[in-house]
Amino acid sequence: HPLQSAADVEAYFARLTALGSALDQETDRIRHDAGLGVILPEFTLATTIAQLQTLRQSSPERTPMIAPAIQRAAAAGLGDIGERAGRIFSETITPALSRQIAALEALRNKAGNTAGVWALPDGADYYGAAVRSNTTSSMPPAELHQLGLRLVADLSAQLDRSLRSQ
């Protein structure tokens, strides 16, 4: 985010404030998805919760979302924005982080330990759609995977022959 004018600083504060709403929207999505049976694996929940707790407990002026902005604003002669940014963090972002942590904690006893989407409701269909979307191939995922394995084996063999010849 550029911080070269007072208007830039105000825009930064507006976006920082909006982060609380964005976190709450994401928390609502997490609850919605959980209602459909789509829950992150327990090990991912544990990692995410720990990261959110670390962020929530951080001193606002040391968070990656605020510390660089404080430095850029000061370097641009725009004053010390740390106090207001810290207040936004404490009053808006921290409570939203707490709500998200609580929502994730509530899912821990329902979470499994399988990381693949195939373990989720309609997971195989979701995976197939994701493969089509990311590869533009209409080939079934298992067939595409086998093709990939053959290509890697062929390329590895070519590399081995080339290295041996050198």
Side-chain angles (χ1 to χ4, degrees):
H1 181 94
L3 292 175
Q4 300 168 351
S5 69
D8 290 343
V9 171
E10 288 306 314
Y12 166 76
F13 287 139
R15 281 206 278 287
L16 196 59
T17 301
L19 180 57
S21 295
L23 285 166
D24 283 335
Q25 290 167 355
E26 180 64 12
T27 300
D28 289 342
R29 188 197 58 78
I30 290 166
R31 287 187 183 113
H32 171 268
D33 289 354
L36 299 174
V38 178
I39 299 171
L40 291 169
E42 201 288 324
F43 60 88
T44 304
L45 281 174
T47 300
T48 303
I49 290 166
Q51 290 171 337
L52 292 172
Q53 288 171 333
T54 297
L55 178 58
R56 180 184 62 186
Q57 295 163 358
S58 296
S59 171
E61 65 275 359
R62 292 190 179 184
T63 65
M65 67 187 81
I66 296 176
I70 291 171
Q71 294 169 354
R72 287 196 317 275
L78 298 171
D80 182 4
I81 66 168
E83 183 180 331
R84 184 170 170 196
R87 192 169 53 254
I88 292 169
F89 184 84
S90 299
E91 295 173 3
T92 304
I93 297 169
T94 298
L97 288 168
S98 293
R99 290 186 290 273
Q100 191 162 98
I101 290 166
L104 293 170
E105 286 282 1
L107 298 176
R108 286 185 97 161
N109 64 342
K110 299 175 185 173
N113 286 312
T114 304
V117 294
W118 54 85
L120 300 173
D122 299 319
D125 291 338
Y126 173 82
Y127 184 76
V131 167
R132 280 188 298 285
S133 173
N134 287 291
T135 66
T136 68
S137 173
S138 59
M139 191 178 295
E143 215 175 293
L144 191 59
H145 179 72
Q146 289 303 315
L147 173 62
L149 292 175
R150 285 193 305 273
L151 289 172
V152 168
D154 289 346
L155 290 170
S156 295
Q158 289 174 33
L159 283 170
D160 285 344
R161 284 191 300 275
S162 179
L163 289 171
R164 282 191 190 107
S165 72
Q166 291 182 14

